[in-house]
Amino acid sequence: MVRTALMLVALAIGLAGQAARADSYIEAPRVAAALEQGRAAELGIGIRKNLLLAVALYCDAGTMGSPEGFFRVGRVLATAPRALRNPALANAYLALAARLGNHEALRYYDPQVANAILGEECGADVDGAEVDHFDLDGYLARQSPAKQKIALLIRHMARQHGIDSRLALAIAMVESNLDPGAVSPQNAQGVMQLIPATQERFGVTRPFDPEHNVRGALAYLKWLSKRFAGDWRLIAAAYNSGEGTVDRYAGIPPYPETQQYVRRVLRFAGYSQRDRSSLGGQDLVRRTERRQAGLLAVASAVERPQ
């Protein structure tokens, strides 16, 4: 068993040498946001210290492609208090992070312990109580004055647009962690990460100006709110994957990225674990089907000859 573990370490070292260095890897805005928010939960920065929440957020970063995310999951599981510590599972995530190019992971790898077999979903094998929702107000209170100003701007403009400020803030947190200069690999820009097509659609001419960016995003959210009858889960899913995709699947699309995105938005907006875990349930599908049936009925009545 020990020999197997040592062989895995050697394999990790070999693959890590071929991979891009982790310290030169530029994280996408959503990934950087999850890492920073996970750090706040791990260390208790502005919010109550919660290692389970930290693992969940680091898992989000890892599954979005971040070696650093998987490394932090492994590190927490390797060093946590006894109730949460899991050396075998920690080794599995640390080996994964090392194979992806994170050299620091090998410092925490324990060659005396065999690797656990990872499940399909990162963090699913971590035992513990329900992960609390994210204390958004506490977190924002520890942010820079510039980010606090953007948060106040979002709250104020959300009221003007008739959008719940918790939803608007949650999306901004997930998209960029309130970074007005954020640019994604897909060229989504600014605080609310608007792609050029959405900017043009809602009249955003200065995407890196927080006020212009937020105004355009809120106009889009208001449009989505009308289209999806105010259902936050469908609104968040459409913001991530497009309204046409949500319509096509009559609910939240079966894409892991989109389902993770919706869970993160609901967590930051204050939804419970039960609410988040039911996203994509049949109740949601039925509500969407009823809405679409109503639209079809209206269309039929308009087209029917008099």
Side-chain angles (χ1 to χ4, degrees):
M1 184 176 291
V2 173
R3 174 182 289 183
T4 301
L6 291 172
M7 288 175 64
L8 286 171
V9 172
L11 176 62
I13 293 172
L15 290 174
Q18 299 172 21
R21 287 186 55 84
D23 56 9
S24 66
Y25 178 79
I26 300 175
E27 305 284 16
R30 287 181 195 162
V31 174
L35 290 173
E36 184 60 29
Q37 292 147 6
R39 179 174 176 272
E42 181 184 359
L43 302 179
I45 302 174
I47 63 177
R48 183 173 64 85
K49 185 175 180 179
N50 186 331
L51 294 181
L52 285 171
L53 177 58
V55 167
L57 290 165
Y58 290 153
C59 276
D60 286 346
T63 54
M64 284 188 285
S66 170
E68 178 72 14
F70 288 129
F71 158 64
R72 294 190 189 186
V73 173
R75 186 196 63 201
V76 170
L77 295 177
T79 62
R82 182 173 297 179
L84 181 60
R85 190 179 305 165
N86 189 327
L89 193 57
N91 269 3
Y93 283 112
L94 291 168
L96 175 59
R99 288 197 298 271
L100 293 173
N102 187 297
H103 295 221
E104 193 177 0
L106 298 177
R107 290 177 49 205
Y108 293 86
Y109 190 93
D110 185 352
Q112 302 300 317
V113 177
N115 291 20
I117 297 176
L118 294 179
E120 293 184 1
E121 184 177 350
C122 179
D125 297 323
V126 178
D127 294 327
E130 176 180 319
V131 177
D132 293 341
H133 76 273
F134 193 91
D135 180 3
L136 189 58
D137 291 332
Y139 179 81
L140 291 173
R142 291 292 300 272
Q143 297 303 296
S144 67
K147 287 192 175 184
Q148 291 187 39
K149 184 177 179 180
I150 291 173
L152 287 174
L153 173 70
I154 292 172
R155 285 192 168 110
H156 176 69
M157 295 182 70
R159 287 193 294 270
Q160 292 180 336
H161 283 77
I163 298 296
D164 193 303
S165 62
R166 292 174 297 168
L167 174 62
L169 268 174
I171 288 177
M173 289 282 292
V174 169
E175 289 288 354
S176 74
N177 201 37
L178 302 175
D179 180 0
V183 179
S184 80
Q186 291 74 37
N187 200 32
Q189 300 171 341
V191 173
M192 306 292 283
Q193 289 290 276
L194 301 178
I195 60 173
T198 305
Q199 294 173 30
E200 182 177 0
R201 183 176 171 187
F202 292 95
V204 178
T205 56
R206 299 201 298 272
F208 298 110
D209 180 322
E211 185 173 348
H212 277 242
N213 190 286
V214 170
R215 181 181 293 115
L218 289 172
Y220 184 35
L221 287 172
K222 185 173 184 177
W223 186 88
L224 290 173
S225 183
K226 291 180 179 178
R227 185 181 181 100
F228 296 111
D231 190 314
W232 283 17
R233 290 178 285 193
L234 295 180
I235 294 168
Y239 196 93
N240 173 259
S241 62
E243 59 270 14
T245 306
V246 173
D247 283 336
R248 184 162 67 252
Y249 287 100
I252 297 173
Y255 306 148
E257 175 194 344
T258 301
Q259 295 188 355
Q260 178 199 83
Y261 180 91
V262 176
R263 283 195 296 269
R264 287 184 68 200
V265 168
L266 297 183
R267 175 180 286 130
F268 289 133
Y271 268 59
S272 69
Q273 174 72 18
R274 181 177 179 181
D275 293 323
R276 294 195 302 273
S277 63
S278 66
L279 61 85
Q282 291 302 311
D283 59 328
L284 184 58
V285 174
R286 284 194 293 269
R287 287 200 304 273
T288 306
E289 288 174 344
R290 285 198 297 268
R291 182 182 64 82
Q292 290 180 329
L295 292 174
L296 288 173
V298 171
S300 298
V302 170
E303 293 174 359
R304 190 179 300 122
Q306 301 297 320

